[in-house]
Structures are given as C-alpha cells and as structure tokens.
Amino acid sequence: ALVRTDHELRDWIRTLLLDGAVGHVEPVALLISRFGADVVVTDPMLYGVVIAAQRAGCPWVGVSSSLNPVVPEGWTCLLTDHIDSMSVARDNLFAQFGMTARFAVADCLSPWLTTVFATPEVVGPGPYPDGVEVVGPSLAEARGDEVAFPWHLLDGRPLVYASFGSQISYQPELFGRLIRATRDLDVQLVCSAGALLADALDAEHLVAVPYAPQRELLSRTAVFITHGGANSAMEARVAGVPTLVLPICNDQPLQARFTVES
C-alpha cells in the first residue's frame, strides 16, 4: 500500500526522511553525551542523527545503504523527483538548527566520510563527491537471516530465482507474469514470495517459499530476477549471476541503470 501510487510513495518517503527527524535529535544527542562518543556512524538518510552529531561537535560517518552518493548528476527517476519536491523542506529542517548540508539523492553527505558498498566497475570511476569512498561489497560469511529451504524439490533444471525483497514483496501481478513466462521453458522457477503464499501461487515448475537463503540460492541460479535492492544487486554481482532488474520504487531504478551501464 505504501508504494501503490506516486502520491502514497512520496508521503512515505517524506515520513521516513523528514517527519520524524526533529524527534530524533535530542534523544540521540543525549546518547552521544552519555556514551562520550568520539565518532557517530549512521545511515546518511537519518537526518536527525546527523543533526545531533553536528550539534555535539562529534564527527560522523555515513554508511550508505544505497548507491545514492555516487549517482551521477542528471540521472533522474521518480525518487529524485520526490526528493526535489521536498528539498526546500529538507533545507529548512537543517536551517532550523543553524546548519546547511550536502545531499546526493536522499543521502546527507558527511564532511568526514561516506562509504558506498560497490566497486568502480559497478558505479564508474568517478570522480565522486568529496568524502565519498567506494569500499567494495558488504558481505560476511553469512547474512544471518538464512532459513530452511526445500532443496530436495530442485530437480536439476536451470534455476530462475525471483525475489522482490522484503518491504515490497507483495507483487501478485509480477509473480503471475513470471510464472506464465517460464511455464513452457525447461527451467525451474523459485520465488521468494512472502505473504503471496497465502494466495496459492502454484505451477508444476514452481517452488515458492516465504523467504529464501539468497546467497546460497544464487550460487545455483542461472538467472536472477530482482527489484534491484542494494543487497540483492550486490550479492548477484559477487555471485556472477546474470540479472534481470525490474525496479518498483525508491532507488531501484538507479540501481537498474548502474546495472545496465556496467
């Protein structure tokens, strides 16, 4: 429901970025003081944390959960349109505390350091904004959210794996189209379908689960169909899996363009 229309999507973005930011400032400032923090590390879309750190005179580092800091000037999508529409309100938020800030799409850029989990082969060689560093993929031995999977149902045919993330996974039309498109191919389709399982996704060539152990599954995948979330795109590149990106909202069209450009 949050992404069904452009209007609802814009309101959701505004809520995430702006509406709660002022309420974060004082509690975070109190924590910075109580812990005697030397550095604050934060998602650069948490503007209240950024303001609290700067008010406390504490250096802060942005760890971006997207490719926003390295998006070239002139790239546009619905997200950039929405961000542009609230740029005055965003500037006023920082001005309320006597501050100005630099932004790349939705990310506030730190004057000290902002890290991006990518490589120049993916996002281009730059130049990047001052303080932005491309640091490679963020991958541990395991994600930590692995779940059981019915591996015994895989029959050896080439695997097409489809996932649209966790926040916006309820995509009945897309999953239905994918099932129909692959029904007559000599492949097996695995769908990480979330709550859609309740709608009885069913086909002879389909294995549908609420959530999948993605990295292990990608190691067996011939083609990955994804919304273009940052984690999914990064994990697919590391696994060397051909990827079809079907962006739905937010930064996903930008991720899709990086995929095409690279």
Side-chain angles (χ1 to χ4, degrees), residues 2-3 7-24 42-49 65 68 79 82-83 86 90 93-94 106-107 167-168 249-252:
L2 294 174
V3 301
H7 177 76
E8 288 166 310
L9 175 60
R10 185 187 68 240
D11 287 349
W12 181 36
I13 293 170
R14 185 183 181 95
T15 297
L16 290 174
L17 294 179
L18 299 180
D19 292 349
V22 171
H24 292 157
T42 184
D43 187 307
M45 290 188 287
L46 291 176
Y47 301 156
V49 178
S65 57
N68 286 340
L79 174 63
H82 287 328
I83 295 298
M86 60 188 74
R90 184 171 63 177
L93 167 67
F94 281 79
D107 287 22
Q167 284 187 314
I168 52 174
C249 67
N250 296 344
D251 63 324
Q252 295 153 25

Side-chain angles (χ1 to χ4, degrees), residues 11 33 41 66 110 116 128 132-133 137 139 144 149 206 224 237:
D11 287 349
S33 174
V41 181
S66 72
S110 167
V116 177
Y128 312 127
V132 172
E133 296 287 343
L139 296 177
F149 183 82
L206 172 68
F224 179 36
R237 290 180 184 120

Side-chain angles (χ1 to χ4, degrees), residues 117-179:
F117 295 119
T119 65
E121 289 80 7
V122 171
V123 299
Y128 312 127
D130 290 345
V132 172
E133 296 287 343
V134 173
V135 297
S138 171
L139 296 177
E141 288 298 317
R143 282 176 55 147
D145 62 352
E146 288 76 12
V147 295
F149 183 82
W151 299 106
H152 65 283
L153 296 180
L154 303 185
D155 59 16
R157 285 179 289 177
L159 205 63
V160 176
Y161 168 46
S163 172
F164 298 101
S166 52
Q167 284 187 314
I168 52 174
S169 61
Y170 195 86
Q171 300 293 331
E173 180 182 350
L174 272 179
F175 279 115
R177 290 176 67 186
L178 292 175
I179 290 169

Side-chain angles (χ1 to χ4, degrees), residues 28-41 52-53 56-60:
V28 173
L30 180 63
L31 290 173
I32 292 171
S33 174
R34 182 173 294 170
F35 287 117
D38 297 307
V39 177
V40 171
V41 181
C58 187
W60 66 276

Side-chain angles (χ1 to χ4, degrees), residues 162-228:
S163 172
F164 298 101
S166 52
Q167 284 187 314
I168 52 174
S169 61
Y170 195 86
Q171 300 293 331
E173 180 182 350
L174 272 179
F175 279 115
R177 290 176 67 186
L178 292 175
I179 290 169
R180 293 190 297 274
T182 54
R183 181 174 284 126
D184 295 329
L185 304 178
D186 187 26
V187 300
Q188 201 164 16
L189 176 64
V190 173
C191 291
S192 178
L196 266 181
L197 289 178
D199 290 349
L201 288 181
D202 188 32
E204 182 277 329
H205 69 302
L206 172 68
V207 177
V209 294
Y211 196 68
Q214 181 157 291
R215 288 187 62 194
E216 189 174 358
L217 200 56
L218 283 172
S219 69
R220 306 178 182 216
T221 294
V223 176
F224 179 36
I225 302 172
T226 172
H227 62 310

Side-chain angles (χ1 to χ4, degrees), residues 35-118:
F35 287 117
D38 297 307
V39 177
V40 171
V41 181
T42 184
D43 187 307
M45 290 188 287
L46 291 176
Y47 301 156
V49 178
V50 171
I51 292 168
Q54 293 192 179
R55 290 185 78 200
C58 187
W60 66 276
V61 171
V63 178
S64 184
S65 57
S66 72
L67 301 181
N68 286 340
V70 294
V71 170
E73 288 189 24
W75 283 22
T76 61
C77 64
L78 190 58
L79 174 63
T80 61
D81 292 344
H82 287 328
I83 295 298
D84 287 346
S85 74
M86 60 188 74
S87 61
V88 172
R90 184 171 63 177
D91 289 343
N92 288 342
L93 167 67
F94 281 79
Q96 179 180 336
F97 296 92
M99 300 174 189
T100 59
R102 295 181 302 145
F103 298 95
V105 192
D107 287 22
C108 185
L109 299 181
S110 167
W112 290 273
L113 174 67
T114 301
T115 62
V116 177
F117 295 119

